Amino acid sequence: MKFTSVFALIALVLFSGCGTTRSKTSANTKEDVLGIINKVNTHWQQNNAPRNAFWDEAAYQTANMEAYFVTGNPEYKAYAERWAQKNNWKGATSNNKAEWKYSYGEKPAYVLFGDWQVCFQTYIDLYNLDEVKDSKKIARALEVMQYQMSTSNNDYWWWADGLYMAMPVMTKLYKLTGDKHYLDKMYEYFVFADDLMFDKEAHLYYRDGKYIYPKHKTDRGFKDFWARGDGWVFAGLAKVLADLPKDYQHYDLFLTRFKQMAKALSATQQAEGYWTRSILDPQQAPGPETSGTAFIAYGYLWGMNNGILDKATYKPVSQKAWKYLTEVALQPDGGIGYVQPIGEKAIPGQVVDQNSTSNFGVGAFLLAACEMYRSL
């Protein structure tokens, strides 16, 4: 049954406060989805001031920009500009290249760590929107990535999340500059990550080298693929394929991995539409989780919207995920619940409920919602 926007709002009010059992109608019209995007993003921005340029806030901003592209709401662009200005259009702030690092680190010296580079995606988007270009917006992105490419190292992307954080920066910079070196280095770094983390039987990615089977297993002995980690990769591949020229010599590797993941993930979706935190072992950390589910839903919707994934095969998957996202994850006030806190694995006994939210979880929801809007 389809509701008008007014009736949908009434339904939200009537069924608020009923937890995961409340009955709501999934939004299936462009008008309804647009309303949800605005409700969720406005709720977040009215309750959260822009913060630093680390991965969690920066990942949200990538989705905030998608919300701007879909809605044209100038407040979203202004929010991103304030955030970028607050961080001086930088990620990690060290200017001493001799101390730059790319292992895990939250301090100024970890300039080459991908969690400090995802911010460049939004800086580039904002630069591209300028009628009069302001070079300071992309100066740090160019400085950092050009320095990184000048090194002989190829192991910069050693964890699954990094394929969302940093990989699309390379394709965006290629589109901006026309310099194919960005694509060739992206391919080199991706091959390292793929060799390290991709399981050629399951067609999924381990979160990092610590979790590779059989060195690491779930409590019941299964391979342990973390839903948000694979969501990062699936979404990252979608963002890369959006900008990667189809005639690029290594295009087929990225396309193949994207399609392999789509098939593998579709087989592991729960009946309620979500993916559990440990994809192949639902009992490791049972129950719904939004961030992984939303990133995965985004990947499916983008793939179908762009003629890469077969709609007859994958539309039912995306519809089930969207039903979960709008009927369970979306809260009456526009908040997004059931987001696993910052971490790197499925944790037995960890409570994730309607009050569990985060900037990156809201971002994941918005990415999926924007692609759902485009699909209608």
Side-chain angles (χ1 to χ4, degrees):
M1 180 177 182
K2 294 185 179 180
F3 286 70
T4 64
S5 296
V6 173
F7 283 11
L9 180 60
I10 292 171
L12 275 175
V13 173
L14 288 174
F15 293 113
S16 62
C18 298
T20 60
T21 60
R22 68 180 183 275
S23 174
K24 298 194 298 183
T25 297
S26 298
N28 290 310
T29 69
K30 290 183 85 74
E31 181 184 13
D32 288 341
V33 176
L34 193 67
I36 286 174
I37 292 169
N38 279 313
K39 182 175 184 177
V40 169
N41 209 26
T42 299
H43 176 271
W44 181 262
Q45 293 186 7
Q46 288 181 345
N47 289 280
N48 297 276
R51 295 172 45 212
N52 64 20
F54 204 40
W55 72 268
D56 56 324
E57 184 74 5
Y60 160 75
Q61 292 289 353
T62 64
N64 176 44
M65 292 307 298
E66 287 300 312
Y68 170 72
F69 295 143
V70 163
T71 67
N73 188 331
E75 294 180 5
Y76 302 162
K77 180 173 179 278
Y79 187 91
E81 290 271 3
R82 290 197 302 275
W83 166 74
Q85 291 165 0
K86 174 184 175 67
N87 291 290
N88 297 312
W89 303 92
K90 290 184 173 183
T93 56
S94 169
N95 290 318
N96 179 7
K97 292 182 175 64
E99 70 175 12
W100 285 4
K101 301 177 178 68
Y102 60 95
S103 57
Y104 181 90
E106 300 182 21
K107 295 182 179 180
Y110 289 86
V111 175
L112 304 178
F113 177 40
D115 280 7
W116 282 113
Q117 296 174 349
V118 59
C119 59
F120 298 152
Q121 295 184 42
T122 297
Y123 300 166
I124 295 166
D125 286 345
L126 290 169
Y127 174 84
N128 286 335
L129 289 170
D130 286 343
E131 290 186 12
V132 178
K133 301 302 184 189
D134 184 352
S135 61
K136 75 180 180 186
K137 294 184 176 182
I138 58 169
R140 182 65 167 186
L142 291 168
E143 177 191 22
V144 170
M145 304 316 291
Q146 286 175 2
Y147 174 83
Q148 180 170 307
M149 293 191 304
S150 76
T151 71
S152 60
N153 306 65
N154 67 357
D155 56 345
Y156 287 102
W157 300 341
W158 48 265
W159 76 119
D161 316 25
L163 297 181
Y164 182 91
M165 308 304 171
M167 191 162 61
V169 174
M170 306 292 270
T171 48
K172 285 179 177 289
L173 286 173
Y174 163 74
K175 285 192 71 176
L176 185 67
T177 66
D179 185 352
K180 185 172 172 286
H181 195 42
Y182 287 106
L183 301 185
D184 293 340
K185 280 295 184 179
M186 179 187 70
Y187 169 72
E188 183 181 334
Y189 302 159
F190 179 72
V191 167
F192 170 83
D194 191 72
D195 287 345
L196 174 66
M197 294 179 286
F198 185 69
D199 186 291
K200 291 181 172 59
E201 294 179 352
H203 290 168
L204 296 170
Y205 285 83
Y206 296 103
R207 195 273 177 177
D208 60 55
K210 299 190 301 293
Y211 296 99
I212 295 173
Y213 183 89
K215 179 173 66 174
H216 170 84
K217 305 174 186 177
T218 68
D219 292 349
R220 277 154 294 283
F222 290 89
K223 294 179 178 180
D224 196 7
F225 297 103
W226 182 45
R228 186 157 71 231
D230 276 278
W232 286 125
V233 179
F234 197 45
L237 286 168
K239 289 174 73 70
V240 163
L241 288 167
D243 288 337
L244 189 63
K246 289 183 172 60
D247 61 356
Y248 178 61
Q249 60 184 331
H250 301 300
Y251 177 88
D252 284 349
L253 173 60
F254 297 93
L255 179 64
T256 296
R257 290 292 184 261
F258 184 70
K259 289 184 173 181
Q260 287 174 322
M261 290 191 76
K263 184 176 181 180
L265 289 165
S266 69
T268 58
Q269 186 181 31
Q270 300 301 298
E272 298 85 354
Y274 60 80
W275 281 263
T276 52
R277 283 163 273 177
S278 184
I279 294 174
L280 297 186
D281 187 357
Q283 294 308 308
Q284 181 75 357
E289 200 284 315
T290 295
S291 62
T293 297
F295 282 126
I296 293 168
Y298 162 73
Y300 281 118
L301 288 161
W302 182 89
M304 289 185 290
N305 286 345
N306 288 275
I308 289 175
L309 297 180
D310 178 62
K311 290 184 179 180
T313 302
Y314 293 115
K315 189 174 181 180
V317 178
S318 67
Q319 287 178 325
K320 284 170 61 178
W322 183 242
K323 181 175 169 58
Y324 160 76
L325 290 171
T326 53
E327 296 188 8
V328 178
L330 175 62
Q331 302 303 301
D333 64 355
I336 300 299
Y338 297 93
V339 179
Q340 183 187 3
I342 290 174
E344 61 179 42
K345 62 182 179 180
I347 301 173
Q350 183 181 44
V351 174
V352 175
D353 59 23
Q354 65 266 29
N355 298 312
S356 304
T357 194
S358 71
N359 43 11
F360 60 87
V362 171
F365 181 97
L366 288 170
L367 285 175
C370 288
E371 285 303 314
M372 176 57 76
Y373 175 85
R374 292 179 175 120
S375 76
L376 297 172

